[in-house]
């Protein structure tokens, strides 16, 4: 298998789907000549032309309004919002339109729309460009939410998202675009709602997604030297969530730590805890722990920025408290 960067895996997925289906097109800011803020679309304007790689003015509402309209007429747009923070400017298109139309028409109309965006801290771009806002979309019935960690997962899940008949929030973490991983040359898809065990273990389950998967794996490696065996559980998609697989993991390890870069208040992490406790309370030998970002805007100062989000040390400390 070839070893490629995360952003190249995304690019390959888009090319394969655009070659396969002429209804797939791209729309967003700076995706043409510039190739996108993180170069995922590099060379695609030359390959497919301006009718399928549509560079837009700075208007998130227009990008997603056009995406919803095109999806309703049979196209399969991949709309890019450069930073997840900017989805605030298009919440009506996402929450009131894309998420609701299928239900309001009694399943007569579908919205096969992928909204690619990225979030998270780490680049020192401060409070308006570093947020982890996935919980907003997790909360909305009618949306699917995908947050892949590895190049393999990113490619397989993006291809599946483009073929899905529902609106999908496809959220990437800005610090993992250059991460490398093995990706098969032959075609493959990953079903939405199917989790992956990134590391087998028997003493505690660590639930982590997106960039936090790597912090969890680093903590697991450190804890292994202390004789603690950690299972790292990556849901890969938050909606649908592979809850049964998580419950099965907890029944094996009897302990759970839930990790999220987003702040804990009103978070997915808190909801996952509640759902696991509801279904596996009798199997737990210790309280469930949450390791999450601080309830604060992301600071510009790099030291404070790092202090505001979880790291392997925080995860390892939480695990030790359970053993």
């Amino acid at each position: 298998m070839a070893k490629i960067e995360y952003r190249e895996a995304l690019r390959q997925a888009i090319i394969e789907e655009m070659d396969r289906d002429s209804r797939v097109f791209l729309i967003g800011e700076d995706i043409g000549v510039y190739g996108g803020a993180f170069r995922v679309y590099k060379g695609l304007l030359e390959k497919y032309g301006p009718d399928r790689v549509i560079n837009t003015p700075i208007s998130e509402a227009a990008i997603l309004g056009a995406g919803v309209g095109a999806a309703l007429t049979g196209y399969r747009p991949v709309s890019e919002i450069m930073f997840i923070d900017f989805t605030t400017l298009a919440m009506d298109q996402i929450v009131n339109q894309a998420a609701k139309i299928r239900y309001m028409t009694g399943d007569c109309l579908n919205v096969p729309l992928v909204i690619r965006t990225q979030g998270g801290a780490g680049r020192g771009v401060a409070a308006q460009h570093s947020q982890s806002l996935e919980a907003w979309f997790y909360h909305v019935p009618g949306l699917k939410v995908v947050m892949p960690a590895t190049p393999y997962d990113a490619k397989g899940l993006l291809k599946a998202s483009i073929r899905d008949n529902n609106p999908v929030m496809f959220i990437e973490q800005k610090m993992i675009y250059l991460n490398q991983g093995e990706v098969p040359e032959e075609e493959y898809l990953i079903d939405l709602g199917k989790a992956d065990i990134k590391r087998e273990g028997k003493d505690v389950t660590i639930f982590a997604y997106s960039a936090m998967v790597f912090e969890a794996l680093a903590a697991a490696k450190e804890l292994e030297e202390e004789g603690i065996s950690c299972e790292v559980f990556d849901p890969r998609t938050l909606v649908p969530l592979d809850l049964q697989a998580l419950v099965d993991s907890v029944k094996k390890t009897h302990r759970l730590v839930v990790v999220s870069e987003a702040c804990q208040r009103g978070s997915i992490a808190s909801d996952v805890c509640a759902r696991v406790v509801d279904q596996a309370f009798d199997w737990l030998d210790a309280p469930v722990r949450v390791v999450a970002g601080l309830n604060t805007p992301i600071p510009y100062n790099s030291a404070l920025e790092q202090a505001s989000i979880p790291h392997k040390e925080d995860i390892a400390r939480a695990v030790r408290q359970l053993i």
Side-chain angles (χ1 to χ4, degrees):
M1 286 191 287
K3 200 169 186 178
I4 62 175
E5 292 178 348
Y6 186 98
R7 62 181 177 181
E8 176 60 19
L10 295 169
R11 183 173 174 275
Q12 288 185 7
I14 291 167
I15 289 173
E16 289 179 14
E17 291 307 297
M18 291 184 76
D19 286 346
R20 185 188 64 83
D21 188 343
S22 61
R23 298 173 300 173
V24 178
F25 72 92
L26 314 174
I27 182 169
E29 301 164 9
D30 287 338
I31 68 169
V33 174
Y34 194 62
F38 295 90
R39 301 294 194 273
V40 171
Y41 300 129
K42 182 181 178 182
L44 299 193
L45 176 63
E46 293 79 3
K47 182 176 176 63
Y48 296 105
D51 288 342
R52 297 186 70 190
V53 182
I54 302 173
N55 211 45
T56 71
I58 301 175
S59 173
E60 285 74 16
I63 293 168
L64 292 185
V68 171
L72 286 171
T73 58
Y75 288 91
R76 292 186 173 272
V78 178
S79 300
E80 178 176 304
I81 300 299
M82 192 179 293
F83 287 78
I84 197 171
D85 315 74
F86 305 161
T87 57
T88 53
L89 296 162
M91 289 300 275
D92 181 66
Q93 286 77 2
I94 301 171
V95 174
N96 284 330
Q97 308 305 330
K100 301 296 192 296
I101 288 172
R102 176 180 173 187
Y103 296 86
M104 293 178 70
T105 62
D107 209 19
C108 292
L109 293 174
N110 294 321
V111 184
L113 167 69
V114 173
I115 303 172
R116 272 197 62 241
T117 189
Q118 57 80 29
R123 287 176 62 97
V125 287
Q128 297 170 324
H129 296 73
S130 305
Q131 298 176 89
S132 296
L133 300 177
E134 59 269 19
W136 291 3
F137 307 104
Y138 177 88
H139 178 73
V140 177
L143 296 177
K144 295 186 177 182
V145 182
V146 179
M147 293 193 70
T150 67
Y152 176 86
D153 291 346
K155 182 175 180 179
L157 288 167
L158 182 53
K159 287 171 64 69
S161 297
I162 291 172
R163 299 186 193 188
D164 200 287
N165 284 331
N166 298 284
V168 177
M169 290 295 302
F170 197 93
I171 305 171
E172 301 142 19
Q173 212 281 358
K174 60 174 64 66
M175 298 304 293
I176 60 178
Y177 280 115
L178 301 184
N179 285 8
Q180 294 190 342
E182 292 186 339
V183 174
E185 295 181 4
E186 62 273 18
E187 183 180 56
Y188 68 96
L189 284 84
I190 298 174
D191 293 338
L192 305 190
K194 186 173 177 56
D196 184 45
I197 303 296
K198 290 293 192 284
R199 178 189 175 111
E200 297 276 353
K202 60 182 179 58
D203 294 328
V204 59
T205 298
I206 303 176
F207 174 101
Y209 57 91
S210 192
M212 286 296 111
V213 168
F214 303 104
E215 297 294 334
L217 288 169
K221 184 177 181 181
E222 180 177 305
L223 290 163
E224 183 180 33
E225 298 174 0
E226 302 173 24
I228 301 173
S229 173
C230 300
E231 180 148 298
V232 177
F233 182 97
D234 178 5
R236 302 196 290 196
T237 67
L238 299 172
V239 182
L241 180 68
D242 196 349
L243 185 61
Q244 187 56 55
L246 178 59
V247 168
D248 290 343
S249 176
V250 171
K251 286 182 176 179
K252 180 175 71 171
T253 65
H254 305 290
R255 298 173 182 84
L256 174 64
V257 173
V258 180
V259 182
S260 171
E261 181 175 335
C263 61
Q264 182 174 351
R265 186 173 57 221
S267 67
I268 291 168
S270 297
D271 186 63
V272 168
C273 287
R275 295 171 73 178
V276 170
V277 168
D278 180 61
Q279 295 202 18
F281 180 79
D282 290 340
W283 297 87
L284 289 167
D285 287 346
V288 178
R289 294 285 184 186
V290 173
V291 179
L294 302 182
N295 295 322
T296 178
I298 301 295
Y300 174 71
N301 176 279
S302 61
L304 295 177
E305 179 188 38
Q306 291 302 312
S308 72
I309 60 175
H311 295 283
K312 69 170 185 175
E313 294 81 5
D314 305 302
I315 301 168
R317 188 181 309 114
V319 170
R320 292 187 188 102
Q321 291 171 348
L322 297 184
I323 300 299

